[in-house]
Amino acid sequence: MILSARNVSNREADRADHAELRLRISLTGLSADVVVIDCPNRQGGPLTLSALNAADTVVYAATATSDGIDGVEGARRTVAQFRRHRQ
């Protein structure tokens, strides 16, 4: 399990070439049935892009409020846009 934390937010400013691929590369060869990546709720941010590049599946977590629904809808748009750009 790879958890998000506030102290990794400084990675949001990392614009180095191919920074969005580091997580995927670091997981190469890992022997695990499931890897859970918790990333910040910043649609289109570098940490989110890195997690999407490394992920095979996305699970949306939210509170059962209108803000939670808005957050899931925004996250779905981000994933859809990411997938379109990858094609």
Side-chain angles (χ1 to χ4, degrees):
M1 183 171 284
I2 304 170
L3 299 174
S4 177
R6 287 191 188 273
N7 64 354
V8 298
S9 64
N10 64 344
R11 304 308 300 171
E12 287 286 325
D14 188 355
R15 303 291 183 193
D17 287 344
H18 309 293
E20 72 280 3
L21 300 177
R22 289 183 193 153
L23 180 58
R24 181 181 187 90
I25 291 167
S26 70
L27 295 173
T28 300
L30 178 70
S31 178
D33 294 328
V34 176
V35 175
V36 177
I37 304 167
D38 177 20
C39 63
N41 186 16
R42 289 187 187 91
Q43 285 91 9
L47 295 176
T48 301
L49 292 176
S50 181
L52 289 173
N53 271 303
D56 295 324
T57 303
V58 175
V59 175
Y60 304 98
T63 56
T65 64
S66 59
D67 286 342
I69 292 169
D70 287 344
V72 169
E73 288 174 355
R76 285 182 173 166
R77 283 192 301 272
T78 297
V79 171
Q81 182 178 11
F82 173 81
R83 288 180 176 158
R84 280 194 306 274
H85 287 281
R86 291 282 306 251
Q87 292 177 351

